[in-house]
Amino acid sequence: MTDPPRPDPFPVSRLDSDAGALFVLQSKGEWWHAGFHLTTAIVGPTILTLPYAFRGLGWWLGFVCLTTMGLVTFYAYYLMSKVLDHCEKSGRRHIRFRELAADVLGSGWMFYVVIFIQTAINTGIGIGAILLAGQCLDIMYSSLYPQGTLKLYEFIAMVTAVMMVLSQLPSFHSLRHINFASLILSLGYTFLVVGACINLGLSKNAPKRDYSLEHSDSGKVFSAFTSISIIAAIFGNGILPEIQATLAPPAIGKMLKGLLLCYSVIFFTFYSAAISGYWVFGNNSSSNILKNLMPDEGPTLAPIVVIGLAVIFVLLQLFAIGLVYSQVAYEIMEKKSADTTKGIFSRRNLVPRLILRTLYMAFCGFMAAMLPFFGDINAVVGAFGFIPLDFVLPMLLYNMTYKPTKRSFTYWINMTIMVVFTCAGLMGAFSSIRKLVLDANKFKLFSSEVVD
């Protein structure tokens, strides 16, 4: 017997006064648009970090973790989509993660917990995207002008200025064409980097390969959990409800097609990048495999045209990633600052949008310049943000919504995933913070070196 319909716990968000819904989370998209958004949120230049993650796990454990994370996240996103569909059928269509969690779990504090975690994810990815984009510009500049005087933080400032302009695109749906280009770019630089690694590995100039792990047992454990956190961050997105909100209603069933599109791209890019990069560089893999192909000393290890194109593709996609992960922050700001009785491009709404989004990007750019910790940021964000939102909450939401019996396979597989990844998240948080503290001794503020 189905549960009786419940009243919508967030009626205010359904009124015409909700500028966050009307202006930012416009529900106009098709399933392939959701696929583009998902692919941009997951398949980014962070895949070039996978060889670095493998060096803390080794071959067989790296494969196991990569495959497990892929299967679990696909399953988790599918369950969350089903929960959203269930709520929509009951007359409670949720367009925000925080509202979905608070509704299903029946606890007002969950609303604020999810806001906090999503803010940490969005800000962390925004900082990481700007940092890596600045690093891409630095790579190109250093190859063209080896004696140049420009520093990394100056390139970060350039990227931030561009992001300030692009941030004025008003809605999530307006990014659909940009995110389609992002999908193509991810395939492009993956093909180029994988080709360069294979060519190098088969050449006489191939570097000496060492796949050994840390010498001490404690070092192996900490490195492994840091790598697990990095892989979790790479697979995570934490904004699936907001992406599903961009679908034209009824959204029921459309998200699965978008997930299949996204994970088709994931299968090709993740495995090829991880295998080729770790095969060639082993435990010398950098947090950005492009740095291995362009070492600080000696000639480049791949044709400069290939490296140049890959760096340009990465740089362009990073703008799309920064925009996607800013949408929740923009939605929160717009909900508080905009007036729905005025047009989306009216002066009343345009001025606050311009100021608030510019300030948000300026903050992300400042933090990226001050703390150049790309690989370590991924691990911390993965442990504190993506693991709770993408590996724990979806299963809990499903069990609370559909109430499978305690004797069912679904119930126990969900409980097992929650327990295992809660423990992994706690260990990953500890080990990633430990590495962050250790690396803090290797750099100074506004350094031109990104610490691995």
Side-chain angles (χ1 to χ4, degrees), residues 16-39:
D16 292 339
S17 60
D18 187 352
L22 293 177
F23 293 163
V24 181
L25 299 178
Q26 295 178 343
S27 301
K28 296 181 178 180
E30 301 294 340
W31 69 263
W32 54 87
H33 297 146
F36 301 159
H37 300 326
L38 281 168
T39 304

Side-chain angles (χ1 to χ4, degrees), residues 55-83:
R55 84 179 196 181
L57 297 167
W59 277 115
W60 74 269
L61 190 57
F63 272 114
V64 169
C65 288
L66 186 63
T67 303
T68 301
M69 294 285 191
L71 293 174
V72 171
T73 52
F74 182 88
Y75 176 69
Y77 298 149
Y78 174 67
L79 292 189
M80 190 183 300
S81 180
K82 288 195 67 175
V83 172

Side-chain angles (χ1 to χ4, degrees), residues 140-398:
M140 291 189 289
Y141 177 77
S142 299
S143 63
L144 294 174
Y145 303 99
Q147 305 302 321
T149 59
L150 293 180
K151 304 297 183 183
L152 176 62
Y153 64 83
E154 294 175 281
F155 295 112
I156 290 174
M158 298 175 193
V159 172
T160 304
V162 175
M163 288 299 297
M164 288 177 178
V165 175
L166 293 176
S167 69
Q168 300 308 312
L169 290 169
S171 70
F172 206 152
H173 182 64
S174 65
L175 303 181
R176 62 194 183 281
H177 301 302
I178 291 176
N179 289 340
F180 173 67
S182 169
L183 187 155
I184 301 301
L185 289 168
S186 68
L187 293 173
Y189 64 70
T190 299
F191 174 78
L192 291 168
V193 170
V194 169
C197 288
I198 293 174
N199 181 67
L200 175 61
L202 297 175
S203 71
K204 62 180 181 180
N205 297 321
K208 184 179 179 181
R209 296 163 197 172
D210 183 2
Y211 304 115
S212 61
L213 303 178
E214 296 274 356
H215 296 296
S216 66
D217 291 338
S218 61
K220 290 178 182 177
V221 172
F222 286 128
S223 295
F225 278 102
T226 299
S227 295
I228 290 171
S229 297
I230 291 173
I231 295 175
I234 293 172
F235 268 108
N237 74 72
I239 55 174
L240 185 138
E242 285 78 8
I243 291 176
Q244 186 157 330
T246 65
L247 291 168
I252 296 169
K254 296 178 181 178
M255 202 62 174
L256 178 58
K257 296 179 181 179
L259 283 169
L260 290 173
L261 171 61
C262 173
Y263 273 76
S264 297
V265 179
I266 284 174
F267 178 78
F268 173 77
T269 55
F270 280 38
Y271 281 93
S272 59
I275 293 170
S276 62
Y278 188 61
W279 172 63
V280 175
F281 297 107
N283 58 17
N284 289 320
S285 298
S286 170
S287 62
N288 181 353
I289 205 66
L290 288 173
K291 290 184 66 178
N292 287 108
L293 293 171
M294 294 187 67
D296 293 332
E297 298 180 0
T300 59
L301 301 179
I304 194 66
V305 174
V306 172
I307 296 295
L309 280 175
V311 171
I312 291 171
F313 289 172
V314 167
L315 174 63
L316 293 175
Q317 197 204 19
L318 283 165
F319 292 123
I321 292 171
L323 292 174
V324 163
Y325 276 98
S326 300
Q327 295 306 304
V328 174
Y330 296 162
E331 176 266 315
I332 293 173
M333 293 187 292
E334 205 98 338
K335 185 176 181 179
K336 300 295 184 181
S337 65
D339 183 354
T340 57
T341 63
K342 307 293 183 182
I344 189 172
F345 294 110
S346 65
R347 180 180 297 180
R348 165 64 183 80
N349 292 326
L350 189 61
V351 172
R353 182 186 307 126
L354 177 65
I355 294 173
L356 291 173
R357 295 189 182 191
T358 299
L359 288 175
Y360 177 80
M361 282 300 168
F363 171 77
C364 290
F366 178 79
M367 295 301 294
M370 186 171 68
L371 302 173
F373 270 45
F374 181 64
D376 292 352
I377 286 174
N378 272 344
V380 174
V381 171
F384 282 101
F386 287 120
I387 286 181
L389 286 192
D390 295 328
F391 295 86
V392 178
L393 265 181
M395 287 70 181
L396 180 60
L397 294 173
Y398 182 88

Side-chain angles (χ1 to χ4, degrees), residues 131 134-135 138 150-156 291 366-373 439-452:
L131 173 57
Q135 190 181 9
D138 191 19
L150 293 180
K151 304 297 183 183
L152 176 62
Y153 64 83
E154 294 175 281
F155 295 112
I156 290 174
K291 290 184 66 178
F366 178 79
M367 295 301 294
M370 186 171 68
L371 302 173
F373 270 45
D439 285 346
N441 297 320
K442 301 178 183 178
F443 81 107
K444 56 185 178 180
L445 296 181
F446 302 100
S447 171
S448 289
E449 298 295 329
V450 177
V451 179
D452 284 338

